[in-house]
Amino acid sequence: MEILWKPFGGINNLHEEREKPYRIILSALCQLDRSELRSLPRLENLVCMCRGPCTNNLAKGFYSKGTCAKIQGSDAIYIPAAAMKKRQKRWFSPLVLFCAILALADLSLAVGTIPTTTEIPSYPTFEDPTVEKFNHMTVHDYTERVYIGAVNRIYQLSRDLKQEDVAIMGPMDDSPKCPVTQVCPNEPKRPTDYYNKALVVDYSQSKLIACGSLFQGTCTVHDLNAVSNYETPASESVVANNATASTVAFIAPGPKNLPRTHVLYVGVSYTGNGPYRSDVPAVSSRSLDPSNTFVIAHSGVTTGTKIMLNSMSREIYPITYVYGFSSKGFSYFVTVQKMSTDPPRPFISKLVRVCQRDVQYYSYTEVPLVCRTDGTDYNLAQAAYVGRPGSELAKSLGISAQDSVLFAVFAKSKDEADIYNKPSPNSALCVYALSAVHRKFTQNIQHCFNGNGERGLDFINPSQPCYPTQLQINDEFCGMDVNTPLGGSMAVEAAPVLRFSGILLTAVAATSTHDYTVTFLGTSTGHLKKAVVETVVKASEYSDLVIDEGNPINADMVFDKAKNHLYVMSEKKNIPHSVQTCLFLGPAAIRSPISLQPGYFSCLFDCLETLPVCRGTCYPTNNSPPPPFYLPSTKFVLWGD
């Protein structure tokens, strides 16, 4: 393809190019301030890059779709629009992008081979070497305080992770053979550690709910401004009562006839730790009314807002609860469980759903959640996150950018038969449109209500053939006293957008920036990977940050409300990772593989357009700061002095 070079005639000439059928790449050294940016034209047919002297095949510059800058002594590259059309929707890392500038004859450079940079960030951290392990974390949307549930501790931190208060939760004298009332005068007790199992902010009551393993899994209610000030409002077994069993809890709307509009949804693994665990539901809705805190939200003679495993299956049918969320009138849990109670019983992932209006849990339904490709079934869900997609991902999913998406990371079982719930270091990221999830549940329910197949879920109640009805099931169907509980056989399925060999993913979070969807992936070795998801079947990793080498990243990765920071937690350390990151890439920077000539400074913005203007300040090698550099709508920035 022919590429023409010609001198750039200034900003006024950009207006004249408005209707030209080509893309323009401007190459220059740029110094911009805010007033200059305001004067620049916004032209749809312009793709602009500034570049400076290059070393080691790296050009320094910036890419900004639809915005051009004031150029000082530079040339412009004119490329036909048709040649750029396929490229303009693609996301580039700086290295690949700049190779394209330098090797202008090769404009077909594939973006699937984006280099990954390894970074060691220097952010504020919180550590307590006296504590065995951090368990859970949440961030208050408005105060931006950070709360951490740990072994024997609940921490209250400022937004920059300065400790403000701490509640001492253990060790305390306890026994699994003692009931939740703690009245057992003839039962010997011993000092027992507290393991935090759930940590949730109750915004309507301005309280922090913390549930722990002591005293049969009771919950405490803490002052948000002073977590050491707390009470135990009820003697209710809510969560798991040992160190390792899973618990997922979140607040969402409940049945309309309750004193409080919201309830606490809880999914709990059966522990068998003591004689009282058979009284704890596997899934339940708990009241948040101050006069009835943590009791089952609605109880009937034989039903209520709870699901119990039958006595024959509790010990042989373990269920791991991974994640919970609310969507369009339903509450969901991501779980890992056996395919059936019959041998060989391979482990699979499932979505569990209840209708939030349902006071009897007749709507309780399970559907397989599958992440599979090329004969490899990544069968064990490790973590999940619900977020909004960028426009490119939304388009490939057939949804709008305002719809929600489930991002989930999975691992392959260590054994080929998948009969052990032990993940191998082979992982994948799968993406599901929640609208498609809703439809798949409706499809499974309609299939059974048409009289097809078995009801399933014999670990709850004995399975029976589906009872035929004349009902037409819609997406708002909230259950009936027939065909309940229901185990659907038609899976919610996706192919991985990313696969990792030799790496176990343990956490995922995601955010969008207009066109693009950026995912953050925690690993079992303490790294945070960043990847851009281009379509439902394609993503590219572009960064690997060392958070806490050798310690797994906790599944609780939380954005602040503005999504300027992502709080990342390992077993021992908490770090707020800036979503808009400026990383020094100077010649002596051992953390970067990039080498720049002396006298040059550069800055990498990981800007997700969550602010009207992304601002970065970086320093040259002589440590004298340059003037502030402002860029709107910028994905990545690199510039040289």
Side-chain angles (χ1 to χ4, degrees):
M1 181 187 62
E2 184 180 8
I3 299 168
L4 302 176
W5 291 72
K6 61 186 271 188
F8 173 63
I11 291 177
N12 290 334
N13 280 9
L14 291 180
H15 293 281
E16 298 171 7
E17 307 288 355
R18 187 183 301 271
E19 304 301 326
K20 297 291 180 66
Y22 44 66
R23 301 280 160 180
I24 299 177
I25 298 179
L26 300 169
S27 60
L29 297 176
C30 300
Q31 293 291 333
L32 303 180
D33 59 28
R34 194 171 233 164
S35 61
E36 286 177 315
L37 279 169
R38 288 180 180 142
S39 71
L40 301 180
R42 306 285 298 186
L43 306 181
E44 288 301 319
N45 69 322
L46 298 182
V47 176
C48 307
M49 301 174 190
C50 290
R51 82 172 177 194
C54 306
T55 60
N56 295 342
N57 292 327
L58 173 70
K60 299 182 291 297
F62 75 82
Y63 164 69
S64 180
K65 179 180 177 181
T67 302
C68 277
K70 180 178 179 181
I71 306 301
Q72 300 174 349
S74 178
D75 295 328
I77 308 169
Y78 291 73
I79 300 177
M84 291 295 294
K85 221 170 231 185
K86 292 181 180 179
R87 293 162 53 83
Q88 66 179 328
K89 294 183 180 180
R90 299 191 178 218
W91 179 94
F92 292 84
S93 77
L95 295 181
V96 170
L97 183 61
F98 298 143
C99 289
I101 295 173
L102 293 174
L104 288 170
D106 183 16
L107 292 176
S108 62
L109 183 65
V111 297
T113 56
I114 292 179
T116 301
T117 60
T118 300
E119 306 159 12
I120 304 175
S122 55
Y123 301 115
T125 63
F126 174 75
E127 300 177 79
D128 187 344
T130 67
V131 168
E132 176 187 335
K133 184 180 180 181
F134 293 157
N135 301 124
H136 290 285
M137 172 178 60
T138 190
V139 178
H140 196 286
D141 280 347
Y142 307 111
T143 66
E144 296 188 339
R145 280 195 175 108
V146 179
Y147 300 94
I148 296 176
V151 178
N152 296 327
R153 301 285 189 275
I154 303 292
Y155 297 95
Q156 173 187 318
L157 311 176
S158 65
R159 66 186 302 269
D160 56 352
L161 303 188
K162 299 290 192 301
Q163 182 174 316
E164 295 179 343
D165 197 12
V166 61
I168 308 301
M169 308 302 293
M172 293 190 181
D173 290 341
D174 191 20
S175 169
K177 295 182 180 180
C178 192
V180 68
T181 60
Q182 302 176 48
V183 179
C184 49
N186 298 321
E187 188 64 45
K189 298 180 181 179
R190 60 179 178 81
T192 306
D193 286 330
Y194 167 100
Y195 290 87
N196 179 253
K197 311 301 286 188
L199 196 66
V200 184
V201 175
D202 182 357
Y203 288 97
S204 63
Q205 297 290 317
S206 296
K207 297 291 183 180
L208 177 71
I209 296 172
C211 305
S213 57
L214 288 178
F215 313 128
Q216 297 298 338
T218 56
C219 296
T220 51
V221 177
H222 298 249
D223 187 328
L224 285 169
N225 299 313
V227 293
S228 58
N229 180 16
Y230 70 92
E231 61 178 356
T232 306
S235 295
E236 289 287 333
S237 298
V238 179
V239 301
N241 69 336
N242 67 12
T244 58
S246 70
T247 296
V248 168
F250 61 97
I251 293 174
K256 293 181 178 179
N257 60 343
L258 299 178
R260 286 279 307 278
T261 59
H262 284 60
V263 296
L264 182 70
Y265 290 90
V266 187
V268 186
S269 295
Y270 177 75
T271 67
N273 186 24
Y276 299 100
R277 298 312 295 174
S278 59
D279 299 332
V280 182
V283 175
S284 62
S285 306
R286 303 275 180 166
S287 171
L288 293 175
D289 179 49
S291 64
N292 235 358
T293 310
F294 303 137
V295 303
I296 300 299
H298 176 85
S299 293
V301 177
T302 59
T303 61
T305 55
K306 62 182 180 180
I307 285 288
M308 310 288 293
L309 303 189
N310 67 52
S311 58
M312 301 293 291
S313 301
R314 294 186 193 115
E315 298 283 353
I316 63 170
Y317 197 87
I319 301 176
T320 300
Y321 293 86
V322 176
Y323 180 70
F325 62 96
S326 170
S327 176
K328 294 184 178 179
F330 295 90
S331 289
Y332 291 83
F333 293 91
V334 177
T335 70
V336 172
Q337 51 185 284
K338 294 180 179 181
M339 183 180 291
S340 71
T341 55
D342 298 323
R345 308 189 188 101
F347 277 92
I348 63 171
S349 298
K350 279 187 174 183
L351 278 172
V352 170
R353 188 179 86 162
V354 292
C355 176
Q356 292 170 347
R357 307 190 312 273
D358 184 6
V359 297
Q360 310 293 351
Y361 266 25
Y362 289 147
S363 60
Y364 184 93
T365 307
E366 297 187 358
V367 168
L369 182 66
V370 175
C371 181
R372 178 192 297 143
T373 186
D374 298 334
T376 301
D377 187 1
Y378 297 91
N379 57 308
L380 304 179
Q382 300 297 296
Y385 181 86
V386 169
R388 297 287 174 83
S391 60
E392 293 296 318
L393 176 59
K395 181 179 179 181
S396 74
L397 287 167
I399 60 176
S400 77
Q402 283 68 50
D403 291 328
S404 294
V405 169
L406 175 65
F407 301 85
V409 290
F410 297 79
K412 179 83 176 69
S413 285
K414 278 188 174 180
D415 63 301
E416 287 300 320
D418 297 339
I419 61 173
Y420 297 108
N421 186 8
K422 299 294 183 184
S424 70
N426 294 299
S427 303
L429 167 67
C430 273
V431 179
Y432 310 84
L434 284 190
S435 57
V437 171
H438 291 307
R439 288 194 299 270
K440 187 61 68 173
F441 270 86
T442 301
Q443 182 182 356
N444 275 283
I445 296 168
Q446 184 70 73
H447 185 74
C448 183
F449 274 70
N450 287 343
N452 300 309
E454 295 279 323
R455 197 189 67 224
L457 306 189
D458 56 357
F459 54 90
I460 299 174
N461 287 328
S463 181
Q464 299 289 336
C466 287
Y467 184 80
T469 71
Q470 300 300 314
L471 286 176
Q472 288 299 311
I473 307 299
N474 60 28
D475 287 344
E476 287 75 41
F477 180 70
C478 208
M480 290 181 61
D481 60 354
V482 296
N483 298 326
T484 180
L486 175 58
S489 59
M490 292 175 280
V492 177
E493 187 165 353
V497 297
L498 268 180
R499 289 185 287 172
F500 297 88
S501 179
I503 295 172
L504 175 60
L505 298 177
T506 58
V508 61
T511 190
S512 60
T513 164
H514 298 306
D515 290 348
Y516 307 110
T517 307
V518 178
T519 57
F520 300 82
L521 307 170
T523 77
S524 63
T525 56
H527 288 224
L528 180 68
K529 293 179 174 293
K530 293 189 281 185
V532 65
V533 180
E534 300 175 58
T535 70
V536 72
V537 294
K538 185 178 182 182
S540 301
E541 179 190 351
Y542 67 91
S543 179
D544 186 301
L545 290 88
V546 179
I547 300 297
D548 189 10
E549 188 68 57
N551 291 308
I553 299 299
N554 189 285
D556 293 352
M557 294 200 298
V558 187
F559 289 103
D560 62 9
K561 188 175 178 63
K563 292 199 171 180
N564 292 333
H565 295 88
L566 174 69
Y567 289 88
V568 183
M569 185 172 72
S570 70
E571 291 183 349
K572 298 287 187 179
K573 184 183 295 187
N574 184 287
I575 296 177
H577 171 59
S578 178
V579 172
Q580 299 174 11
T581 316
C582 187
L583 299 171
F584 178 66
L585 302 178
I590 59 173
R591 67 191 66 173
S592 170
I594 300 172
S595 175
L596 302 178
Q597 288 181 348
Y600 288 95
F601 63 87
S602 59
C603 175
L604 171 62
F605 278 72
D606 194 352
C607 176
L608 300 179
E609 298 180 355
T610 54
L611 297 176
V613 175
C614 297
R615 180 182 309 182
T617 303
C618 286
Y619 300 90
T621 53
N622 60 12
N623 292 323
S624 60
F629 194 95
Y630 301 90
L631 288 172
S633 303
T634 301
K635 302 299 183 296
F636 283 89
V637 182
L638 280 162
W639 77 90
D641 195 358

